[in-house]
Amino acid sequence: RAVARTLAVLNDFIFDEVVDIMLAVDQVCSELIAAAPAGAELRCSFLHIESGLLISIDGCLSCGGVSNQHGCG
């Protein structure tokens, strides 16, 4: 969350967008951690692109996967 917040602020996102980005990153990471086997790694990458910020989060999942695969919220 802290990295996402810092990068969003540095990329001139407005306050509501910064909060949305932080919540989305937090929710995706929480879902992946809950569905990951013991010892799995979680990777987050942040890329500044012309139209904004590209965030990629991935990790290894146990059978069953995550509960919400169609968006945050």
Side-chain angles (χ1 to χ4, degrees):
R1 273 176 76 156
V3 172
R5 181 190 69 225
T6 300
L7 292 174
V9 169
L10 290 175
N11 281 280
D12 296 325
F13 284 89
I14 63 171
F15 177 77
D16 288 341
E17 293 170 331
V18 172
V19 171
D20 288 344
I21 291 167
M22 288 172 40
L23 290 173
V25 168
D26 187 52
Q27 183 168 358
V28 170
C29 289
S30 295
E31 290 277 340
L32 288 174
I33 289 168
E41 292 184 11
L42 179 67
R43 289 178 299 277
C44 301
S45 64
F46 302 86
L47 180 63
H48 173 42
I49 58 175
E50 186 175 326
S51 59
L53 191 59
L54 177 64
I55 302 171
S56 176
I57 304 169
D58 64 280
C60 182
L61 301 177
S62 298
C63 291
V66 294
S67 60
N68 182 0
Q69 300 177 18
H70 301 291
C72 296

